[in-house]
Amino acid sequence: MRRLLIVLMNTDPRNPEELGAPFYHASVAAAMDYKVDVVCTATAGKLLLKGVAEKLRTRPDSPRSVLDWIREAHGHGVKFWACPANLELFGVTKDDLIPECEGVMGAAAMIEQIMEGDGRVLTY
């Protein structure tokens, strides 16, 4: 199975209009039977913390929250990963992550996924 790794590192929760595309792209790729992993690192890592994505909307009048976008992608089989350095940076633990997050993926694991196999990478 071909793989897609999506890395969110320049996507800032303070700019919610940026947040729909990466999760939509993840959903579409998973629906096309690609194995999709999404790693949220740097400021984007806040999106995987409980209580953050559910308060964000890509448009002020949208009925869907960013958490809804994440849940839709997760429902298609997308796996979400937090950056372990983010947990320390934000002073939180794995218990503070949303249930859709599989756990943490460190830099070495992420680089290994990028360099091996026939996967592709999208960054936001």
Side-chain angles (χ1 to χ4, degrees):
M1 176 181 278
R2 296 183 67 189
R3 298 176 299 112
L4 174 64
L5 177 65
I6 295 178
V7 181
L8 274 72
M9 55 194 237
N10 296 316
T11 304
D12 192 323
R14 292 173 288 192
N15 297 317
E17 64 274 0
E18 299 175 352
L19 302 177
F23 300 118
Y24 179 70
H25 293 163
S27 289
V28 170
M32 295 170 67
D33 292 328
Y34 290 101
K35 179 185 179 295
V36 182
D37 292 287
V38 175
V39 178
C40 293
T41 187
T43 304
K46 291 180 179 179
L47 294 168
L48 297 181
L49 298 177
K50 292 176 184 171
V52 175
E54 67 191 56
K55 296 176 185 170
L56 300 171
R57 303 271 187 286
T58 56
R59 293 187 332 241
D61 61 340
S62 175
R64 297 183 70 195
S65 71
V66 172
L67 182 58
D68 292 331
W69 287 93
I70 291 171
R71 286 180 173 156
E72 181 177 325
H74 186 260
H76 285 290
V78 174
K79 292 184 177 178
F80 289 90
W81 303 94
C83 170
N86 275 160
L87 299 181
E88 183 178 332
L89 178 67
F90 302 142
V92 298
T93 69
K94 291 179 184 176
D95 292 336
D96 298 304
L97 299 171
I98 59 175
E100 291 76 10
C101 182
E102 300 288 325
V104 295
M105 181 186 294
M110 185 176 72
I111 297 300
E112 187 175 302
Q113 280 204 23
I114 291 170
M115 300 305 289
E116 292 184 355
D118 63 350
R120 300 290 189 262
V121 179
L122 290 175
T123 60
Y124 295 88

